Structures are given as structure tokens and as C-alpha cells.
Amino acid sequence: MWVFVNDGKGTFKKQASYKTGKLPHYLVAFDADRDGKPDLVTANKDSKDLSILRNFGNGTFDQEIRYNLRTEPTAMYAANLDADTGIDLAVVSSSSADLAILVNIYKAR
């Protein structure tokens, strides 16, 4: 995955490359770790998992953290699904007709 950070002058800085699972199929940006900075999550179809990249807040991201789904994710939606303060994920697999709900229980330090 490549990230192009806006330099504030109408152009982008040099691309940064980040490792994800095989065949990232979908991407969402949201504050997964509740630190006020949008993190990136990819749904990786061939490796049947999610990659979460935490945002350092300076235009760079941490290395991926993987979450195994055991099925091919084909769509993903981020929203507060349980009426608390965290954003959760709903992940759909059309190959298995599964819906996975990942509830965000991350506690900011």
C-alpha cells in the first residue's frame, strides 16, 4: 500500500510504502486506537485478514498489525455500532456469506 501525504502546497510528498496482507481489497481510515489520528485498515482478500496501520501523526504509519478473518473480506464499514466512544468495523465476505463485527475495545493510554 502506498500513502501520499499532502504537503499543503497542492502537491504530495514522496510516496511511502507499507506492507499489508495479500490483495488488499478495501480500505477505511478511522481512529482505531482513539488517539485523535486516523489509522488505516485494509481488508486483504487473498490472505483472509485485516491489516491495521496506526498513524504516528507526522505523515507516517506504524507497521501492520494483522487480524485473521478465516474468510475473504470483500467490503468493510467503520462506524460506532455499539453506542460507546469507539469506532467498530463490520466486514462482509461474499464468498462465504459471512458478516464479522469487530468491536473496538482499545483503551487509549
Side-chain angles (χ1 to χ4, degrees):
M1 173 176 66
W2 297 292
V3 175
F4 297 83
V5 177
N6 186 323
D7 68 3
K9 300 173 188 173
T11 59
F12 295 94
K13 297 178 184 177
K14 184 180 178 196
Q15 72 187 35
S17 178
Y18 295 94
K19 182 180 177 358
T20 65
K22 292 181 183 177
L23 191 61
H25 191 70
Y26 204 81
L27 171 76
V28 295
F30 72 99
D31 187 10
D33 58 5
R34 300 182 192 185
D35 65 355
K37 299 177 287 266
D39 307 300
L40 300 176
V41 181
T42 63
N44 309 309
K45 189 172 180 182
D46 283 1
S47 54
K48 299 178 181 177
D49 56 20
L50 301 177
S51 295
I52 298 178
L53 290 86
R54 293 181 53 227
N55 187 341
F56 287 132
N58 62 1
T60 64
F61 293 82
D62 201 354
Q63 64 185 348
E64 68 173 332
I65 300 169
R66 290 249 193 116
Y67 289 92
N68 189 355
L69 295 174
R70 298 189 182 110
T71 187
E72 296 174 346
T74 51
M76 183 169 45
Y77 181 72
N80 186 349
L81 301 173
D82 57 359
D84 66 0
T85 58
I87 302 296
D88 311 299
L89 286 175
V91 184
V92 174
S93 171
S94 60
S95 63
S96 65
D98 287 332
L99 169 65
I101 304 293
L102 289 82
V103 176
N104 186 337
I105 59 169
Y106 189 90
K107 303 287 186 221
R109 295 175 199 228

